[in-house]
Amino acid sequence: MLKSPLFWTDYRPDPARQRIKYRWRSKGWWWKIPVGLLLANILVLLLLRWFPPPTTAFMLQASIPKSGLRYHWVSWDRISPHLPVAVVAAEDQKFPEHNGFDFESIGKAIKENKYRVRPRGASTITQQVAKNLFLWSGRSWLRKGLEAYLTVMIELVWPKQRILEVYLNIAQFGPGVFGAEAAGQVYFHKPASRLHQGDAAILAAVLPNPRRLKARSPSDYVYQRAFEIRGQMAQLGGIAYLKDIWPKH
């Protein structure tokens, strides 16, 4: 049976209508991209809450010495309690209290950096974990924005003890030396579990600039900084400080 031209005209797709429909469908996909990235990020963070990271962004970018890259993950109970106390004392004394950002320190740094040749940092331990795990070194606004986002997500997904455990395992203590276990073996010829207060203070002292500051042959500045850190550790209460924060430690 033949269909009349009128039949075909009535049911022929309207090109203008098709373009509008296509545009609406295209717009409908945009929200799925950020949501997908968010879900992927949450999944990665959930996995890293329970499993050690095989590597980090900073390790992949590091200049590897002839001795090779040193990184060996150890659990919280295999790290000397002196080291987390030293790191908190040196890097972020408000770590147990803040939600990823120390706004008071940030404000002070902004004021002081107006008159400093070398800008003073105010990054918390959580911010440093976000940067070391996922980002790159530098001071661009893009990196800072990503760091802020990741800091919020880490604080939401991980407990404080896990944040500190990850930091102690991925922090760079020297050229190609990442984490407490590698640092203990390379610089003190002992595992991380046997580091004493002096060892921990020296390692914490070199954290701001592990390429220039040496744990193997500490300069006068490193020794002086380590002495100050030991005093701050005592003010916090020593290893009893950890039991006050995490009674099960």
Side-chain angles (χ1 to χ4, degrees):
M1 178 179 177
L2 296 174
K3 296 183 175 71
S4 69
L6 179 61
F7 178 87
W8 288 104
T9 304
D10 291 342
Y11 288 87
R12 186 177 300 163
D14 181 1
R17 185 178 297 175
Q18 288 294 100
R19 284 196 297 271
I20 294 172
K21 190 176 181 181
Y22 175 76
R23 286 173 187 167
W24 276 107
R25 285 181 178 177
S26 299
K27 290 180 179 178
W29 280 97
W30 283 107
W31 66 270
K32 296 180 182 179
I33 296 174
V35 170
L37 292 173
L38 175 63
L39 292 176
N41 179 232
I42 292 174
L43 177 60
V44 170
L45 289 177
L46 284 173
L47 289 173
L48 292 178
R49 175 172 177 172
W50 305 109
F51 299 100
T55 187
T56 70
F58 265 40
M59 290 181 199
L60 295 174
Q61 299 168 60
S63 299
I64 309 301
K66 292 182 180 179
S67 57
L69 189 144
R70 307 288 187 90
Y71 167 61
H72 181 73
W73 177 278
V74 289
S75 59
W76 176 267
D77 57 2
R78 292 175 59 194
I79 299 174
S80 165
H82 293 296
L83 189 57
V85 177
V87 167
V88 170
E91 297 284 291
D92 185 5
Q93 293 192 14
K94 294 181 180 178
F95 173 71
E97 306 161 15
H98 63 63
N99 293 318
F101 304 95
D102 184 351
F103 293 105
E104 183 179 349
S105 295
I106 291 172
K108 289 181 180 179
I110 292 173
K111 291 180 181 178
E112 292 179 11
N113 287 343
K114 294 178 181 179
Y115 311 100
R116 293 172 65 96
V117 176
R118 293 182 178 179
R120 170 180 172 272
S123 294
T124 63
I125 287 174
T126 313
Q127 288 176 275
Q128 293 180 57
V129 168
K131 178 179 67 175
N132 291 0
L133 261 182
F134 300 110
L135 302 174
W136 62 94
S137 59
R139 296 183 178 275
S140 69
W141 286 108
L142 173 61
R143 191 193 67 78
K144 281 294 184 183
L146 291 172
E147 179 187 298
Y149 160 75
L150 290 166
T151 297
V152 171
M153 295 304 298
I154 288 171
E155 285 279 345
L156 287 173
V157 177
W158 296 357
K160 286 286 189 178
Q161 186 170 333
R162 179 60 175 178
I163 296 172
L164 188 53
E165 180 184 29
V166 171
Y167 182 65
L168 294 172
N169 273 284
I170 68 171
Q172 185 173 8
F173 292 98
V177 179
F178 292 86
E181 182 67 15
Q185 296 287 358
V186 170
Y187 301 127
F188 305 108
H189 308 291
K190 63 179 75 169
S193 60
R194 291 175 49 203
L195 294 171
H196 59 63
Q197 188 185 62
D199 303 330
I202 287 176
L203 290 179
V206 304
L207 279 173
N209 193 340
R211 296 176 183 176
R212 185 173 63 88
L213 304 175
K214 308 296 182 182
R216 173 170 285 150
S217 52
S219 63
D220 290 342
Y221 169 81
V222 172
Y223 275 125
Q224 178 61 34
R225 180 64 184 136
F227 179 78
E228 294 171 357
I229 291 171
R230 292 181 70 171
Q232 292 166 346
M233 291 167 68
Q235 290 178 5
L236 290 177
I239 59 176
Y241 171 75
L242 296 179
K243 294 180 180 179
D244 292 338
I245 304 172
W246 300 298
K248 293 182 180 180
H249 178 77

